Amino acid sequence: MRTVNEVSKLTGVSVRALHHYDAIGLLKPTMVTEAGYRLYDEPALERLQQILLFRELEFPLKEIKAILESPSFDRGKALEQQITLLTLKKEHLENLIDLARGIKAIGVNKMDFTAFDTSKIDEYAARAKASYGQTAEYREYEAKSKGRTAEETKELNLRMMALFTEFGAMRKLPPDSGEVQAQVKRLQDFITEHFYTCSNEVLYQLGLMYAGGGEFTSTIDKAGGEGTAEFACLAIQAYCKK
């Protein structure tokens, strides 16, 4: 676990920014001590890494939050976009350096401003942003979350985690038992009501994400106990196969 000051020194993100990320639900600390100190584990740092990648693509924080919580989020795709964008920025900087060196060596002999052109970077960033707004789930999530306060968002997240706490209490039951399957239905209905239409296909992918390791698995296991995320995934798979 790292304190907020340690995370700030490690990442270059200011303590104030980390507090803001916490307040808007973009990056919650793994735990808060009785003394009020925020602590972050490795999955939390992984999420921060993803946030910073999208910040390089100049995504607003609200859009980043929606993307990271969307079932359509593809981490590999995001990384490829980041590599492409950084390569374009590198080429842009190299052109500016060459221009500056030329001016220093021989002076300005023509008014050439092509090195300042960022249209390729801007165009790519716009296409990258658009690629994440094309899913029906994302558009529906955006519409339902519009105008929702940070407090209301926090309350919804607590209610969502309460569902996983209930999953944790059922871990000794078969995943395909009636009681557990009814809990899966409650989860599906909750997501549909408050976030986006959760079809069986979307729910199945969410189950894989829940048990896939990283922050989601850690958060769910914290709510329901070790193994809850895996159990919820198995229950969801049984539900979707009916």
Side-chain angles (χ1 to χ4, degrees):
M1 292 280 195
R2 297 177 187 265
T3 66
V4 68
N5 283 313
E6 289 171 337
V7 171
S8 178
K9 290 178 182 177
L10 176 68
T11 64
V13 179
S14 69
V15 170
R16 182 177 180 181
L18 290 169
H19 287 179
H20 180 60
Y21 291 175
D22 180 9
I24 64 176
L26 177 61
L27 179 69
K28 306 296 291 183
T30 307
M31 65 174 291
V32 179
T33 67
E34 292 183 2
Y37 293 106
R38 295 170 170 86
L39 298 177
Y40 298 82
D41 61 6
E42 289 302 313
L45 292 178
E46 288 177 12
R47 182 176 174 95
L48 178 56
Q49 215 171 40
Q50 293 167 2
I51 291 167
L52 295 179
L53 291 177
F54 277 112
R55 290 297 286 163
E56 286 296 327
L57 285 167
E58 300 179 4
F59 279 55
L61 295 178
K62 184 177 179 181
E63 288 184 22
I64 296 173
K65 184 174 184 292
I67 289 168
L68 292 180
E69 294 175 359
S70 169
S72 63
F73 175 62
D74 185 333
R75 190 173 180 181
K77 174 184 175 183
L79 185 58
E80 287 298 324
Q81 289 176 335
Q82 179 65 11
I83 292 169
T84 300
L85 182 64
L86 287 174
T87 301
L88 290 172
K89 286 188 173 183
K90 176 174 175 285
E91 292 172 355
H92 176 64
L93 288 173
E94 286 174 344
N95 289 336
L96 288 174
I97 291 169
D98 288 343
L99 175 64
R101 283 175 173 163
I103 293 172
K104 181 181 178 181
I106 61 175
V108 179
N109 57 8
K110 63 176 180 177
M111 300 304 290
D112 184 0
F113 290 88
T114 56
F116 297 97
D117 185 6
T118 61
S119 59
K120 284 177 66 177
I121 297 173
D122 296 339
E123 180 186 352
Y124 181 80
R127 283 193 284 112
K129 290 181 183 182
S131 72
Y132 281 100
Q134 289 172 354
T135 65
E137 291 83 11
Y138 177 83
R139 291 194 296 272
E140 188 175 356
Y141 175 91
E142 195 173 45
K144 287 186 175 181
S145 62
K146 187 176 182 180
R148 190 178 289 164
T149 66
E151 194 59 36
E152 289 170 338
T153 299
K154 181 179 179 181
E155 176 62 25
L156 278 179
N157 289 336
L158 288 174
R159 289 172 60 189
M160 182 86 162
M161 286 302 105
L163 291 171
F164 288 110
T165 300
E166 293 168 3
F167 268 115
M170 301 176 183
R171 279 176 293 162
K172 293 184 179 179
L173 298 174
D176 59 353
S177 66
E179 185 178 348
V180 176
Q181 291 297 288
Q183 182 69 8
V184 175
K185 182 65 165 63
R186 281 191 286 273
L187 174 64
Q188 184 180 39
D189 290 346
F190 183 86
I191 294 171
T192 295
E193 180 181 356
H194 299 290
F195 300 108
Y196 43 76
T197 301
C198 187
S199 65
N200 281 9
E201 181 181 358
V202 169
L203 183 63
Y204 187 87
Q205 293 301 319
L206 284 173
L208 295 177
M209 183 175 66
Y210 294 154
E215 183 181 3
F216 279 105
T217 303
S218 175
T219 302
I220 291 170
D221 283 354
K222 187 186 300 182
E226 191 70 28
T228 299
E230 180 65 28
F231 176 76
C233 178
L234 292 174
I236 288 170
Q237 288 177 341
Y239 178 90
C240 293
K241 288 176 181 176
K242 289 183 180 179

